[in-house]
Amino acid sequence: MSANEATVDSGLNTFKGFSFNELRELISEKSSALIPPMVAIFVFLILWSVASNNIVTSLGNVPGPVEVAQQFKVLVIEHQNEREKAKAFYQRQEVRNVEKLAANPNAEVKLRKYTGKPTFFDQIITSLLTVFSGFALAAIFAIPVGILCGLSKSFYQALNPLIQIFKPVSPLAWLPIVTMVVSAVYVSDDPMFEKAFITSAITVTLCSLWPTLINTAVGVASIDKDLLNVGKVLRLDWWTKVRKIVLPSAMPLIFTGLRLSLSVGWMVLIAAEMLAQNPGLGKFVWDEFQNGSSNSLGRIMVAVFVIGIIGFLLDRIMLILQRRFSYDKSIELR
């Protein structure tokens, strides 16, 4: 049997388990799911191309899809070049240290860290680490407090004024306060984390904890009273009641809050990095804006698309986790 015949035979075997009608329904279902978004993206690209040719800024025409794709390629090349420089830097150090030890076995050798300019992809990693840190801190605080608010009306009434006051505060207002407090409190000769990282992470925490806290409180407060009465009849202790009844019942709304918090945290982080000039994608956008070269607009638009795609992927990850940890697998999640 030739290679082509084997390939055809393998393809036919793949569909052996389907009847013709089932196969047609499967193709129809996949097509209906894929075609509308593809058409929308195609129309968007056409409109973008037309608009970009007719809008002239001080730096030239607004870049179209092709120019933005080219700038993305340039950013990839810059990243690869920077990695090569770092590799060569460490190799030179290693050779120098080997020669130093060969001349004097007791010599003290040092391995210095490469301090080249962070690339676009380095900034992405920095932003992701920061947003996950801030989001984790927000979740650790918001879920227990939300459960307490849902279980105790008195506790909720005591805390609600503070929630309503601090919930709408902009990250631009939090940032100067957080920066000054971190600078005053976090003083160390050998700090584990950079101050910029802590400042951004705490700002994300302060702005993103509210959706999780409120949704958790609403989810817990709306649990069927009969379920809670069952816990009383069985004389469950507080922790067992929370673990066996409260958390499973409130899980959908807790995850809704977590998804909202992660989205808010991602938006807040970019603004905070721009304002405070902390490392990350926000700083990259601001630096390109200040640079003002003919390629700056294209590079900023690459960052905008990357920020949006990462935000979308973060939400998909939370949705997968929600499906994984939800007790009721029949609920349709969107």
Side-chain angles (χ1 to χ4, degrees):
M1 182 182 290
S2 67
N4 289 337
E5 287 173 336
T7 304
V8 172
D9 190 48
S10 173
L12 289 174
N13 285 334
T14 304
F15 297 109
K16 260 185 180 176
F18 294 93
S19 67
F20 177 74
N21 288 334
E22 287 174 337
L23 189 60
R24 189 173 61 180
E25 287 177 8
L26 181 64
I27 294 173
S28 174
E29 184 184 342
K30 295 294 181 187
S31 300
S32 61
L34 289 175
I35 291 177
M38 290 176 69
V39 170
I41 291 172
F42 179 74
V43 172
F44 168 74
L45 291 175
I46 295 293
L47 293 175
W48 178 13
S49 298
V50 173
S52 64
N53 290 326
N54 294 288
I55 301 176
V56 181
T57 69
S58 58
L59 300 177
N61 279 21
V62 171
V66 175
E67 290 81 8
V68 171
Q70 287 172 344
Q71 288 305 317
F72 178 76
K73 190 176 176 182
V74 171
L75 288 170
V76 172
I77 293 171
E78 286 179 359
H79 177 76
Q80 292 171 340
N81 291 340
E82 200 64 29
R83 293 284 78 84
E84 288 296 324
K85 287 182 185 175
K87 186 179 176 183
F89 174 80
Y90 287 118
Q91 284 177 344
R92 285 197 301 273
Q93 272 197 100
E94 193 174 339
V95 170
R96 193 163 52 240
N97 288 337
V98 169
E99 291 173 352
K100 196 172 180 181
L101 287 173
N104 179 12
N106 297 321
E108 184 181 352
V109 295
K110 293 180 180 177
L111 190 62
R112 290 186 172 82
K113 188 179 176 183
Y114 181 69
T115 55
K117 183 184 177 184
T119 66
F120 177 66
F121 296 95
D122 294 332
Q123 304 284 31
I124 291 175
I125 293 171
T126 301
S127 289
L128 285 174
L129 288 175
T130 309
V131 76
F132 278 127
S133 302
F135 170 71
L137 285 175
I140 289 169
F141 175 80
I143 293 176
V145 174
I147 290 173
L148 291 174
C149 287
L151 290 175
S152 169
K153 192 174 181 180
S154 302
F155 188 78
Y156 170 74
Q157 287 175 335
L159 213 60
N160 189 45
L162 295 175
I163 294 173
Q164 300 307 324
I165 288 171
F166 291 120
K167 179 165 63 78
V169 175
S170 163
L172 305 182
W174 279 120
L175 193 57
I177 299 171
V178 174
T179 303
M180 294 178 70
V181 171
V182 169
S183 299
V185 174
Y186 190 64
V187 180
S188 171
D189 295 331
D190 185 21
M192 182 179 294
F193 302 105
E194 293 183 8
K195 284 184 181 179
F197 170 80
I198 294 177
T199 302
S200 297
I202 292 177
T203 305
V204 168
T205 301
L206 289 172
C207 295
S208 67
L209 66 89
W210 310 111
T212 300
L213 196 158
I214 293 170
N215 277 278
T216 303
V218 172
V220 173
S222 59
I223 294 174
D224 192 340
K225 300 301 176 193
D226 289 341
L227 281 175
L228 296 176
N229 289 333
V230 169
K232 289 180 182 174
V233 171
L234 296 175
R235 295 184 179 179
L236 299 178
D237 59 71
W238 187 86
W239 173 241
T240 305
K241 184 177 73 172
V242 169
R243 195 161 49 89
K244 297 288 187 181
I245 298 176
V246 173
L247 280 177
S249 303
M251 193 62 79
L253 274 176
I254 292 175
F255 263 100
T256 300
L258 288 172
R259 288 173 65 188
L260 291 171
S261 288
L262 190 53
S263 299
V264 170
W266 185 238
M267 287 190 294
V268 164
L269 176 66
I270 302 302
E273 288 170 346
M274 285 183 71
L275 184 67
Q277 287 292 285
N278 291 339
L281 278 171
K283 186 176 187 304
F284 173 86
V285 172
W286 184 253
D287 287 347
E288 289 297 332
F289 176 69
Q290 293 294 318
N291 185 15
S293 74
S294 57
N295 296 325
S296 291
L297 271 180
R299 294 162 76 92
I300 291 173
M301 292 182 80
V302 171
V304 168
F305 279 107
V306 169
I307 289 168
I309 291 169
I310 290 175
F312 171 75
L313 293 177
L314 291 177
D315 187 67
R316 294 298 95 179
I317 290 170
M318 291 303 298
L319 199 60
I320 292 169
L321 290 175
Q322 185 172 1
R323 284 201 182 97
R324 173 69 180 78
F325 290 105
S326 289
Y327 290 83
D328 187 358
K329 307 293 183 189
S330 62
I331 296 177
E332 185 178 356
L333 302 175
R334 297 185 178 180

PDB file of all heavy atoms in Angstrom, residues 191-215:
ATOM      1  N   PRO A 191      16.211  43.151  49.097  1.00  0.00           N
ATOM      2  CA  PRO A 191      14.767  42.877  48.955  1.00  0.00           C
ATOM      3  C   PRO A 191      14.502  41.637  48.098  1.00  0.00           C
ATOM      4  O   PRO A 191      15.195  41.400  47.105  1.00  0.00           O
ATOM      5  CB  PRO A 191      14.241  44.149  48.260  1.00  0.00           C
ATOM      6  CG  PRO A 191      15.419  44.727  47.566  1.00  0.00           C
ATOM      7  CD  PRO A 191      16.625  44.367  48.391  1.00  0.00           C
ATOM      8  N   MET A 192      13.496  40.856  48.509  1.00  0.00           N
ATOM      9  CA  MET A 192      13.124  39.665  47.740  1.00  0.00           C
ATOM     10  C   MET A 192      12.432  40.064  46.434  1.00  0.00           C
ATOM     11  O   MET A 192      12.629  39.437  45.402  1.00  0.00           O
ATOM     12  CB  MET A 192      12.184  38.782  48.580  1.00  0.00           C
ATOM     13  CG  MET A 192      11.784  37.489  47.897  1.00  0.00           C
ATOM     14  SD  MET A 192      10.716  36.468  48.913  1.00  0.00           S
ATOM     15  CE  MET A 192      11.837  36.031  50.234  1.00  0.00           C
ATOM     16  N   PHE A 193      11.594  41.114  46.503  1.00  0.00           N
ATOM     17  CA  PHE A 193      10.888  41.596  45.312  1.00  0.00           C
ATOM     18  C   PHE A 193      11.210  43.075  45.100  1.00  0.00           C
ATOM     19  O   PHE A 193      11.471  43.803  46.057  1.00  0.00           O
ATOM     20  CB  PHE A 193       9.376  41.444  45.481  1.00  0.00           C
ATOM     21  CG  PHE A 193       8.935  40.034  45.753  1.00  0.00           C
ATOM     22  CD1 PHE A 193       8.539  39.653  47.023  1.00  0.00           C
ATOM     23  CD2 PHE A 193       8.933  39.093  44.738  1.00  0.00           C
ATOM     24  CE1 PHE A 193       8.141  38.354  47.282  1.00  0.00           C
ATOM     25  CE2 PHE A 193       8.531  37.795  44.987  1.00  0.00           C
ATOM     26  CZ  PHE A 193       8.133  37.419  46.267  1.00  0.00           C
ATOM     27  N   GLU A 194      11.146  43.490  43.852  1.00  0.00           N
ATOM     28  CA  GLU A 194      11.351  44.904  43.558  1.00  0.00           C
ATOM     29  C   GLU A 194      10.138  45.704  44.017  1.00  0.00           C
ATOM     30  O   GLU A 194       9.001  45.228  43.976  1.00  0.00           O
ATOM     31  CB  GLU A 194      11.565  45.092  42.059  1.00  0.00           C
ATOM     32  CG  GLU A 194      12.857  44.491  41.558  1.00  0.00           C
ATOM     33  CD  GLU A 194      13.070  44.772  40.081  1.00  0.00           C
ATOM     34  OE1 GLU A 194      12.280  45.560  39.522  1.00  0.00           O
ATOM     35  OE2 GLU A 194      14.011  44.213  39.524  1.00  0.00           O
ATOM     36  N   LYS A 195      10.372  46.942  44.419  1.00  0.00           N
ATOM     37  CA  LYS A 195       9.272  47.788  44.897  1.00  0.00           C
ATOM     38  C   LYS A 195       8.230  48.008  43.798  1.00  0.00           C
ATOM     39  O   LYS A 195       7.037  48.091  44.060  1.00  0.00           O
ATOM     40  CB  LYS A 195       9.824  49.134  45.383  1.00  0.00           C
ATOM     41  CG  LYS A 195      10.495  49.049  46.746  1.00  0.00           C
ATOM     42  CD  LYS A 195      10.921  50.417  47.219  1.00  0.00           C
ATOM     43  CE  LYS A 195      11.604  50.307  48.582  1.00  0.00           C
ATOM     44  NZ  LYS A 195      12.068  51.607  49.091  1.00  0.00           N
ATOM     45  N   ALA A 196       8.700  48.152  42.563  1.00  0.00           N
ATOM     46  CA  ALA A 196       7.759  48.373  41.460  1.00  0.00           C
ATOM     47  C   ALA A 196       6.791  47.207  41.328  1.00  0.00           C
ATOM     48  O   ALA A 196       5.592  47.403  41.089  1.00  0.00           O
ATOM     49  CB  ALA A 196       8.531  48.573  40.159  1.00  0.00           C
ATOM     50  N   PHE A 197       7.306  45.986  41.503  1.00  0.00           N
ATOM     51  CA  PHE A 197       6.459  44.798  41.415  1.00  0.00           C
ATOM     52  C   PHE A 197       5.418  44.799  42.532  1.00  0.00           C
ATOM     53  O   PHE A 197       4.221  44.559  42.291  1.00  0.00           O
ATOM     54  CB  PHE A 197       7.330  43.541  41.500  1.00  0.00           C
ATOM     55  CG  PHE A 197       6.566  42.268  41.649  1.00  0.00           C
ATOM     56  CD1 PHE A 197       5.984  41.670  40.541  1.00  0.00           C
ATOM     57  CD2 PHE A 197       6.423  41.674  42.890  1.00  0.00           C
ATOM     58  CE1 PHE A 197       5.263  40.490  40.681  1.00  0.00           C
ATOM     59  CE2 PHE A 197       5.704  40.497  43.040  1.00  0.00           C
ATOM     60  CZ  PHE A 197       5.127  39.908  41.935  1.00  0.00           C
ATOM     61  N   ILE A 198       5.843  45.100  43.753  1.00  0.00           N
ATOM     62  CA  ILE A 198       4.923  45.102  44.891  1.00  0.00           C
ATOM     63  C   ILE A 198       3.873  46.201  44.731  1.00  0.00           C
ATOM     64  O   ILE A 198       2.684  45.995  44.989  1.00  0.00           O
ATOM     65  CB  ILE A 198       5.713  45.277  46.207  1.00  0.00           C
ATOM     66  CG1 ILE A 198       6.590  44.049  46.428  1.00  0.00           C
ATOM     67  CG2 ILE A 198       4.780  45.488  47.383  1.00  0.00           C
ATOM     68  CD1 ILE A 198       7.465  44.132  47.637  1.00  0.00           C
ATOM     69  N   THR A 199       4.317  47.362  44.278  1.00  0.00           N
ATOM     70  CA  THR A 199       3.375  48.476  44.093  1.00  0.00           C
ATOM     71  C   THR A 199       2.288  48.115  43.077  1.00  0.00           C
ATOM     72  O   THR A 199       1.092  48.309  43.323  1.00  0.00           O
ATOM     73  CB  THR A 199       4.141  49.721  43.601  1.00  0.00           C
ATOM     74  OG1 THR A 199       5.144  50.050  44.554  1.00  0.00           O
ATOM     75  CG2 THR A 199       3.198  50.896  43.427  1.00  0.00           C
ATOM     76  N   SER A 200       2.695  47.552  41.949  1.00  0.00           N
ATOM     77  CA  SER A 200       1.712  47.185  40.922  1.00  0.00           C
ATOM     78  C   SER A 200       0.793  46.078  41.425  1.00  0.00           C
ATOM     79  O   SER A 200      -0.430  46.119  41.196  1.00  0.00           O
ATOM     80  CB  SER A 200       2.432  46.727  39.649  1.00  0.00           C
ATOM     81  OG  SER A 200       3.198  47.772  39.108  1.00  0.00           O
ATOM     82  N   ALA A 201       1.364  45.063  42.093  1.00  0.00           N
ATOM     83  CA  ALA A 201       0.556  43.932  42.553  1.00  0.00           C
ATOM     84  C   ALA A 201      -0.486  44.380  43.583  1.00  0.00           C
ATOM     85  O   ALA A 201      -1.646  43.959  43.532  1.00  0.00           O
ATOM     86  CB  ALA A 201       1.460  42.852  43.137  1.00  0.00           C
ATOM     87  N   ILE A 202      -0.076  45.242  44.534  1.00  0.00           N
ATOM     88  CA  ILE A 202      -1.025  45.715  45.558  1.00  0.00           C
ATOM     89  C   ILE A 202      -2.113  46.579  44.921  1.00  0.00           C
ATOM     90  O   ILE A 202      -3.289  46.506  45.306  1.00  0.00           O
ATOM     91  CB  ILE A 202      -0.271  46.478  46.664  1.00  0.00           C
ATOM     92  CG1 ILE A 202       0.608  45.509  47.456  1.00  0.00           C
ATOM     93  CG2 ILE A 202      -1.244  47.187  47.595  1.00  0.00           C
ATOM     94  CD1 ILE A 202       1.444  46.166  48.530  1.00  0.00           C
ATOM     95  N   THR A 203      -1.745  47.390  43.933  1.00  0.00           N
ATOM     96  CA  THR A 203      -2.757  48.201  43.243  1.00  0.00           C
ATOM     97  C   THR A 203      -3.773  47.298  42.547  1.00  0.00           C
ATOM     98  O   THR A 203      -4.991  47.561  42.596  1.00  0.00           O
ATOM     99  CB  THR A 203      -2.080  49.122  42.210  1.00  0.00           C
ATOM    100  OG1 THR A 203      -1.078  49.894  42.866  1.00  0.00           O
ATOM    101  CG2 THR A 203      -3.085  50.059  41.574  1.00  0.00           C
ATOM    102  N   VAL A 204      -3.289  46.238  41.914  1.00  0.00           N
ATOM    103  CA  VAL A 204      -4.202  45.273  41.284  1.00  0.00           C
ATOM    104  C   VAL A 204      -5.110  44.646  42.338  1.00  0.00           C
ATOM    105  O   VAL A 204      -6.330  44.509  42.133  1.00  0.00           O
ATOM    106  CB  VAL A 204      -3.387  44.183  40.542  1.00  0.00           C
ATOM    107  CG1 VAL A 204      -4.285  43.030  40.132  1.00  0.00           C
ATOM    108  CG2 VAL A 204      -2.708  44.772  39.326  1.00  0.00           C
ATOM    109  N   THR A 205      -4.532  44.289  43.471  1.00  0.00           N
ATOM    110  CA  THR A 205      -5.328  43.670  44.540  1.00  0.00           C
ATOM    111  C   THR A 205      -6.446  44.603  45.007  1.00  0.00           C
ATOM    112  O   THR A 205      -7.612  44.197  45.127  1.00  0.00           O
ATOM    113  CB  THR A 205      -4.417  43.325  45.739  1.00  0.00           C
ATOM    114  OG1 THR A 205      -3.390  42.442  45.301  1.00  0.00           O
ATOM    115  CG2 THR A 205      -5.205  42.671  46.851  1.00  0.00           C
ATOM    116  N   LEU A 206      -6.096  45.853  45.275  1.00  0.00           N
ATOM    117  CA  LEU A 206      -7.072  46.804  45.812  1.00  0.00           C
ATOM    118  C   LEU A 206      -8.226  47.065  44.844  1.00  0.00           C
ATOM    119  O   LEU A 206      -9.348  47.354  45.275  1.00  0.00           O
ATOM    120  CB  LEU A 206      -6.372  48.135  46.147  1.00  0.00           C
ATOM    121  CG  LEU A 206      -5.440  48.098  47.360  1.00  0.00           C
ATOM    122  CD1 LEU A 206      -4.672  49.416  47.469  1.00  0.00           C
ATOM    123  CD2 LEU A 206      -6.230  47.842  48.635  1.00  0.00           C
ATOM    124  N   CYS A 207      -7.949  46.977  43.555  1.00  0.00           N
ATOM    125  CA  CYS A 207      -8.997  47.287  42.570  1.00  0.00           C
ATOM    126  C   CYS A 207      -9.762  46.056  42.109  1.00  0.00           C
ATOM    127  O   CYS A 207     -10.881  46.197  41.607  1.00  0.00           O
ATOM    128  CB  CYS A 207      -8.377  47.982  41.360  1.00  0.00           C
ATOM    129  SG  CYS A 207      -7.674  49.587  41.742  1.00  0.00           S
ATOM    130  N   SER A 208      -9.186  44.872  42.273  1.00  0.00           N
ATOM    131  CA  SER A 208      -9.830  43.691  41.702  1.00  0.00           C
ATOM    132  C   SER A 208     -10.523  42.799  42.720  1.00  0.00           C
ATOM    133  O   SER A 208     -11.181  41.835  42.340  1.00  0.00           O
ATOM    134  CB  SER A 208      -8.785  42.854  40.945  1.00  0.00           C
ATOM    135  OG  SER A 208      -7.839  42.312  41.830  1.00  0.00           O
ATOM    136  N   LEU A 209     -10.402  43.109  44.007  1.00  0.00           N
ATOM    137  CA  LEU A 209     -10.996  42.205  44.992  1.00  0.00           C
ATOM    138  C   LEU A 209     -12.507  42.350  45.096  1.00  0.00           C
ATOM    139  O   LEU A 209     -13.210  41.426  45.518  1.00  0.00           O
ATOM    140  CB  LEU A 209     -10.329  42.394  46.352  1.00  0.00           C
ATOM    141  CG  LEU A 209     -10.492  43.723  47.096  1.00  0.00           C
ATOM    142  CD1 LEU A 209     -11.717  43.728  48.001  1.00  0.00           C
ATOM    143  CD2 LEU A 209      -9.256  43.960  47.965  1.00  0.00           C
ATOM    144  N   TRP A 210     -13.058  43.508  44.707  1.00  0.00           N
ATOM    145  CA  TRP A 210     -14.480  43.785  44.959  1.00  0.00           C
ATOM    146  C   TRP A 210     -15.430  42.873  44.186  1.00  0.00           C
ATOM    147  O   TRP A 210     -16.418  42.409  44.771  1.00  0.00           O
ATOM    148  CB  TRP A 210     -14.787  45.260  44.677  1.00  0.00           C
ATOM    149  CG  TRP A 210     -13.811  46.167  45.355  1.00  0.00           C
ATOM    150  CD1 TRP A 210     -12.859  46.951  44.783  1.00  0.00           C
ATOM    151  CD2 TRP A 210     -13.657  46.347  46.777  1.00  0.00           C
ATOM    152  NE1 TRP A 210     -12.128  47.597  45.736  1.00  0.00           N
ATOM    153  CE2 TRP A 210     -12.584  47.260  46.973  1.00  0.00           C
ATOM    154  CE3 TRP A 210     -14.287  45.813  47.892  1.00  0.00           C
ATOM    155  CZ2 TRP A 210     -12.160  47.651  48.227  1.00  0.00           C
ATOM    156  CZ3 TRP A 210     -13.864  46.207  49.141  1.00  0.00           C
ATOM    157  CH2 TRP A 210     -12.816  47.115  49.311  1.00  0.00           C
ATOM    158  N   PRO A 211     -15.232  42.598  42.901  1.00  0.00           N
ATOM    159  CA  PRO A 211     -16.172  41.688  42.223  1.00  0.00           C
ATOM    160  C   PRO A 211     -16.247  40.306  42.880  1.00  0.00           C
ATOM    161  O   PRO A 211     -17.338  39.747  43.025  1.00  0.00           O
ATOM    162  CB  PRO A 211     -15.595  41.596  40.803  1.00  0.00           C
ATOM    163  CG  PRO A 211     -14.827  42.858  40.617  1.00  0.00           C
ATOM    164  CD  PRO A 211     -14.240  43.162  41.960  1.00  0.00           C
ATOM    165  N   THR A 212     -15.095  39.770  43.302  1.00  0.00           N
ATOM    166  CA  THR A 212     -15.103  38.461  43.958  1.00  0.00           C
ATOM    167  C   THR A 212     -15.811  38.534  45.303  1.00  0.00           C
ATOM    168  O   THR A 212     -16.621  37.662  45.646  1.00  0.00           O
ATOM    169  CB  THR A 212     -13.656  37.956  44.146  1.00  0.00           C
ATOM    170  OG1 THR A 212     -13.040  37.846  42.873  1.00  0.00           O
ATOM    171  CG2 THR A 212     -13.644  36.604  44.819  1.00  0.00           C
ATOM    172  N   LEU A 213     -15.513  39.585  46.073  1.00  0.00           N
ATOM    173  CA  LEU A 213     -16.119  39.715  47.401  1.00  0.00           C
ATOM    174  C   LEU A 213     -17.649  39.823  47.287  1.00  0.00           C
ATOM    175  O   LEU A 213     -18.388  39.102  47.973  1.00  0.00           O
ATOM    176  CB  LEU A 213     -15.537  40.964  48.092  1.00  0.00           C
ATOM    177  CG  LEU A 213     -15.743  41.075  49.600  1.00  0.00           C
ATOM    178  CD1 LEU A 213     -14.693  42.021  50.197  1.00  0.00           C
ATOM    179  CD2 LEU A 213     -17.117  41.570  49.971  1.00  0.00           C
ATOM    180  N   ILE A 214     -18.112  40.677  46.397  1.00  0.00           N
ATOM    181  CA  ILE A 214     -19.561  40.906  46.284  1.00  0.00           C
ATOM    182  C   ILE A 214     -20.269  39.676  45.724  1.00  0.00           C
ATOM    183  O   ILE A 214     -21.319  39.259  46.237  1.00  0.00           O
ATOM    184  CB  ILE A 214     -19.828  42.151  45.413  1.00  0.00           C
ATOM    185  CG1 ILE A 214     -19.320  43.398  46.137  1.00  0.00           C
ATOM    186  CG2 ILE A 214     -21.306  42.289  45.089  1.00  0.00           C
ATOM    187  CD1 ILE A 214     -19.312  44.647  45.299  1.00  0.00           C
ATOM    188  N   ASN A 215     -19.710  39.075  44.690  1.00  0.00           N
ATOM    189  CA  ASN A 215     -20.351  37.893  44.110  1.00  0.00           C
ATOM    190  C   ASN A 215     -20.349  36.718  45.086  1.00  0.00           C
ATOM    191  O   ASN A 215     -21.317  35.947  45.128  1.00  0.00           O
ATOM    192  CB  ASN A 215     -19.646  37.503  42.806  1.00  0.00           C
ATOM    193  CG  ASN A 215     -20.148  38.297  41.628  1.00  0.00           C
ATOM    194  OD1 ASN A 215     -21.182  37.982  41.041  1.00  0.00           O
ATOM    195  ND2 ASN A 215     -19.436  39.356  41.298  1.00  0.00           N
TER     196      ASN A 215
END
